[in-house]
Amino acid sequence: MKFGSIDWFYKLNEMVSFPAKFAFYYNKRDNVIQVSKVNSKAMVENIRYRDIEPSPLHFHPKETALIKVIEISSDKEYHDEIVQLQEIWRTKFAG
C-alpha cells in the first residue's frame, strides 16, 4: 500500500484514534523514519524517557535516535508530519 494513498489513510484510521501522541525516530541503519504510538496519559512535555526510548524489543536497532514526541490531532497532520520529517532527514517512511 502506497504511503499517503486513500487505502493508507483508511488503514491508519482503523489503527489510530486521533488525537494521539506519537514518538518519531530516525533509523540510521535503514535510513527510515519510524513511528510509535505513545500510550501515556501524561502531557507530551511530561512523558518519561523510559516510555519512549528506542528499544530493540520494539523495532529499533542500535542506530536509532528519537527525533520528537508530539500530539497529533488528525490523520492529515500525521501524514504532513511524516512528509516534513522525510524532507528534513532525506529519508523514507517505514510503514
Side-chain angles (χ1 to χ4, degrees):
M1 157 178 2
K2 185 178 179 197
F3 171 70
S5 69
I6 292 172
D7 290 336
W8 182 86
F9 275 100
Y10 180 77
K11 190 70 169 172
L12 173 64
N13 284 293
E14 279 185 343
M15 297 184 319
V16 178
S17 295
F18 292 96
K21 297 175 192 91
F22 296 92
F24 291 84
Y25 306 88
Y26 173 66
N27 174 333
K28 183 178 179 181
R29 182 186 69 193
D30 299 327
N31 193 34
V32 294
I33 301 296
Q34 296 174 305
V35 184
S36 289
K37 187 172 181 282
V38 177
N39 294 315
S40 173
K41 294 183 182 190
M43 294 179 6
V44 169
E45 52 274 356
N46 293 330
I47 292 174
R48 296 181 194 145
Y49 182 70
R50 72 173 181 239
D51 295 332
I52 57 173
E53 69 182 314
S55 165
L57 297 176
H58 290 112
F59 57 78
H60 306 112
K62 289 182 181 179
E63 302 86 6
T64 299
L66 177 64
I67 299 172
K68 64 166 63 177
V69 179
I70 58 173
E71 185 166 351
I72 295 181
S73 59
S74 71
D75 56 357
K76 175 150 179 26
E77 185 181 347
Y78 179 86
H79 174 269
D80 293 347
E81 184 66 35
I82 292 169
V83 169
Q84 180 183 21
L85 290 173
Q86 288 174 327
E87 291 172 1
I88 291 169
W89 291 86
R90 296 185 178 140
T91 185
K92 58 187 178 209
F93 176 58

